[in-house]
Amino acid sequence: TKRVAILISGSGSNMVALAGSMAGDHPARPVLVVSNVPGAGGLAKAQAMGIPTAVVDHKAFGKDRASFEAALAEALEAARPDIVCLAGFMRILSAEFMARWQGRMLNIHPSLLPKYPGLHTHARAIEAGEAEAGCSVHEVTAELDGGPILGQARVAILPGDTPESLAARILPWEHRLYPAVLRRYAAGDRTPVLLP
Ligand code: GAR
């Protein structure tokens, strides 16, 4: 059985979808949820699901990113994860940190990568007049939002869409896509998952 750690910063809805999917004949189990935000809503949800949690508060380290990343690595390594899933984790990790976890770290990003890496993805897609948007799960490499794509879900952008309405249409697809990719990945299958 593969051991999965999940990194969050916020409400943790993708974490709940991932953790809830790892049951029965699933090849993986959740072993730890780590948040860099002490009050993140996802922490209570993880605890309610019986998953151990940890907080590594980046603010406690000031501008010292190396020390923050060392503490994050220590918290992660204590749980001996085979796979680390970034799920709404909103800190940029250094290229060195990401490279060390390469091959065992996944991320979900709310755009059809390689389009719109970074922040404000929905606003940028609407502003550009795109006909569709979506979400991507990719392997994490040293390049931000840049590793091999393991799955995508596409949705139409509708007239009158706002960043909020588009995000609300995409989020349920994130909750389908990420568990589907993780199940394949944990079984050693990197064939991309394409939804719907
Ligand atoms: C999700 O939409 C995820 O794709 C996005 O943050 C949200 C987290 O929601 N991630 C990023 O923007 C990464 N840069 P959640 O905490 O409810 O899963």
Side-chain angles (χ1 to χ4, degrees):
T1 309
K2 294 279 166 54
R3 300 169 60 83
V4 177
I6 305 171
L7 266 55
I8 65 168
S9 300
S11 70
S13 70
N14 277 288
M15 178 278 297
V16 169
L18 285 171
S21 74
M22 288 183 259
D25 68 353
H26 197 287
R29 289 290 183 271
V31 296
L32 178 68
V33 170
V34 184
S35 173
N36 67 301
V37 176
L43 286 167
K45 294 176 189 170
Q47 284 154 12
M49 297 174 90
I51 306 165
T53 60
V55 172
V56 182
D57 181 0
H58 63 277
K59 287 190 178 151
F61 299 89
K63 290 193 191 315
D64 185 357
R65 186 164 70 173
S67 296
F68 166 65
E69 290 187 346
L72 186 60
E74 189 179 340
L76 276 176
E77 272 153 12
R80 294 177 290 106
D82 301 297
I83 299 170
V84 177
C85 292
L86 307 183
F89 183 72
M90 300 306 284
R91 299 305 293 176
I92 291 181
L93 298 165
S94 68
E96 296 74 32
F97 184 94
M98 295 196 282
R100 267 210 295 145
W101 292 88
Q102 192 166 329
R104 49 192 175 134
M105 186 176 273
L106 307 181
N107 180 44
I108 187 156
H109 181 76
S111 80
L112 294 174
L113 291 171
K115 286 188 168 176
Y116 311 114
L119 296 176
H120 310 300
T121 54
H122 306 310
R124 288 155 64 205
I126 292 168
E127 176 70 19
E130 300 279 2
E132 57 179 15
C135 50
S136 307
V137 175
H138 64 96
E139 241 182 278
V140 172
T141 63
E143 188 193 347
L144 179 69
D145 299 327
I149 292 168
L150 298 171
Q152 286 186 320
R154 322 177 83 86
V155 307
I157 296 181
L158 302 179
D161 257 336
T162 62
E164 292 72 28
S165 67
L166 184 56
R169 192 174 311 118
I170 292 171
L171 192 61
W173 287 103
E174 297 190 35
H175 300 159
R176 294 183 192 110
L177 180 69
Y178 211 171
V181 170
L182 177 62
R183 181 182 273 269
R184 278 193 190 177
Y185 192 81
D189 180 358
R190 297 180 184 203
T191 317
V193 176
L194 299 175
L195 301 178

